[in-house]
Every structure is written in C-alpha cells, then in structure tokens.
Amino acid sequence: MRNVGRTILSRLRHLATVALLLTAGACAGIQEPVPESTPLRLLSSNGVRAAIEAVQPKMEMATGLRLSAKFSTAAALKRNIDTGEPFDVAILTPALVDDLVAQGRAVADSRSDLARVGVGVGAREGAPRSDVSTPDALKRTLLDAKVVAYTAEGQSRATVNKALAQLGITAEVDAKSMLTGPGEGPGAVAAGKADLVMTLISEILIPGVQLLGPFPPEMQNYIVFTAVRSPNAKNVEGANTLLRYLTGPEVADAMKAHALEPIGR
C-alpha cells in the first residue's frame, strides 16, 4: 500500500508540473507550431504538362503556394474526379469541364481557357525528315513507317482516327500501330520502339524526338485546355491565386515555348 501511495503522489506531482508549464507557456504567448501548408492539388491534362512543370518553381515562388500536380489524359482525370478524387484546380478540355460544372463538381465562374494545341507527327531525332504537310505526303509517310505510335485514349485519338479514315489507310496503320498509355508515345519513338508518333504537338517535343510538323490544315483539330476550381477546394483563396497565375504572362510564355497557343482572356 505504501508503494501504491508513492506512485499516486508521484503522478499527481507530474501532472501539476505539466499544468504549471502549460500555464507559463500560455502567459508567455507560446503557441503550438503551425503545420506546413497543404499543397494545392492540381489535376492536369498531359497536353500542358511540359509548360506547367517548366513554370512550377517560379509559380510557387511568386504565389507562396506549393503545388502537387498529377498528369494524365483529360478523360482519365475526369473519371477520377467522378469517382471522388479530391482536387483544388483541374485543367481539362472544355466539354469535360462543362460536365463537371453540370454535376456540381466545378465552379462555373472560375473557369478560364488557357491554351490550345494541334496534333502533329514526330520521329526519332536524327532520322530523315519526312514530309507531312499535305494529306498525300502524310499518307506516304505513315505507309512507309514500320511502327506508328499513338495513345489508346487521349484528346488526340479522335483526330488521329479521323485523319486515317480520310486518308483511307485505317486498316494499314492499325496493323502496325503501337497503342500507348498517356504521354508514352514520344518516349517509344525516342527509345527506337516506334518510327513515328501522332499526338498533341506539345507532347512530341521531348529529348530524342523531332517534330516533323502538324497535321495538314484540312485534317487538323485544335484541343483547348481549360482550368477550373473545385467547389470543395480546401484552400479556396490559394486555388483562386493559382487560377490567376495560370492566366498570366509567365504561364503564357511557357505555353508558347512548348508549342501551345495561349488564349487571351
């Protein structure tokens, strides 16, 4: 019993000491350290990935915000949002943003068109430059290639399919096609696994790959990228700051440097 009494007395003294220290700390104005701010969650199409990654350090320094970005096809990101993946800002295509707004998953008056880009053809750096400037030239180039890469799913796929149909070579190209995951086509060309890649021009410009040119004008289709805020953004002010920066001159310059055409507000 004597030992039990000593233990209880010791615990009481400890609690009293803790209480005294807490009181002293409060009187001295000491506060719990504030945890580091949670980064803004950006879900973005691969079409603007190179431009966003190029400007991200400057963006974070200018805004004081940290950015956690996830890149994929716009369609894949839209499915993720539909199944509940949280985000602060998304960069998708206008039709997908329209759907998010209709579902109440995006704020209508926060949307801004950022840039547009066309579809082009790329080949391995150092390979002979083939002509793709006219439908006949593009047809010859595609038929001469042994392996042609393009995404199984992506914003460029519809334009590629339509072009092949217009040229009357859908079956021929299908027979030697390499369907790739999001953004992987240019890498397959750089690695020598494919002779050509057809995808968004902004995705072609990577080390080891040369741009042969855009699709001929009569076969071209431009993809627009639109930024929008989530109604459930954890940091609304931060998300709005990011949206303003995305429509500013620094990002516009980065878009131009990566073959995207900025869209003026």
Side-chain angles (χ1 to χ4, degrees):
M1 291 296 292
R2 198 175 300 170
N3 290 337
V4 172
R6 289 197 190 99
T7 300
I8 292 174
L9 182 60
S10 175
R11 289 180 178 174
L12 288 172
R13 287 172 176 167
H14 174 71
L15 290 172
T17 301
V18 170
L20 181 61
L21 290 172
L22 289 174
T23 301
C27 293
I30 298 175
Q31 298 178 352
E32 289 293 320
V34 177
E36 189 175 0
S37 61
T38 303
L40 289 176
R41 182 67 167 159
L42 172 67
L43 303 183
S44 174
S45 167
N46 279 322
V48 295
R49 178 173 186 167
I52 296 298
E53 289 184 334
V55 81
Q56 183 174 346
K58 185 183 294 186
M59 181 189 302
E60 291 180 334
M61 184 175 296
T63 63
L65 300 167
R66 290 190 302 128
L67 197 63
S68 173
K70 176 180 178 180
F71 299 96
S72 188
T73 64
L77 294 172
K78 170 62 164 54
R79 287 196 299 271
N80 292 346
I81 294 172
D82 287 342
T83 56
E85 180 167 348
F87 71 100
D88 294 294
V89 173
I91 302 176
L92 307 174
T93 58
L96 296 179
V97 170
D98 288 342
D99 197 36
L100 288 179
V101 170
Q103 295 174 4
R105 298 179 186 272
V107 179
D109 62 5
S110 72
R111 61 184 295 162
S112 295
D113 292 336
L114 303 182
R116 72 172 195 167
V117 68
V119 177
V121 183
R124 193 173 186 184
E125 190 70 47
R129 290 189 60 86
S130 300
D131 186 10
V132 297
S133 60
T134 67
D136 285 342
L138 176 60
K139 182 176 181 177
R140 287 194 301 271
T141 294
L142 292 174
L143 290 177
D144 288 343
K146 294 180 179 179
V147 181
V148 180
Y150 47 95
T151 56
E153 177 188 59
Q155 295 306 309
S156 61
R157 182 66 190 272
T159 303
V160 168
N161 287 347
K162 185 177 180 181
L164 295 179
Q166 285 181 254
L167 296 173
I169 57 172
T170 298
E172 291 87 339
V173 175
D174 279 351
K176 56 185 177 182
S177 65
M178 176 188 289
L179 298 183
T180 66
E184 295 176 356
V189 170
K193 298 178 181 178
D195 302 302
L196 300 175
V197 60
M198 295 186 289
T199 189
L200 300 180
I201 295 172
S202 56
E203 296 182 22
I204 291 174
L205 303 178
I206 68 168
V209 181
Q210 60 177 328
L211 175 66
L212 297 181
F215 272 14
E218 56 267 51
M219 309 178 81
Q220 186 60 271
N221 179 51
Y222 287 91
I223 307 301
V224 174
F225 298 102
T226 301
V228 71
R229 174 171 61 80
S230 167
N232 301 314
K234 293 183 178 179
N235 182 350
V236 174
E237 183 179 349
N240 288 337
T241 298
L242 174 59
L243 286 168
R244 286 193 296 272
Y245 194 90
L246 287 171
T247 58
E250 293 86 358
V251 174
D253 288 343
M255 295 287 187
K256 292 176 185 176
H258 291 87
L260 291 138
E261 300 177 24
I263 297 175
R265 296 190 65 182

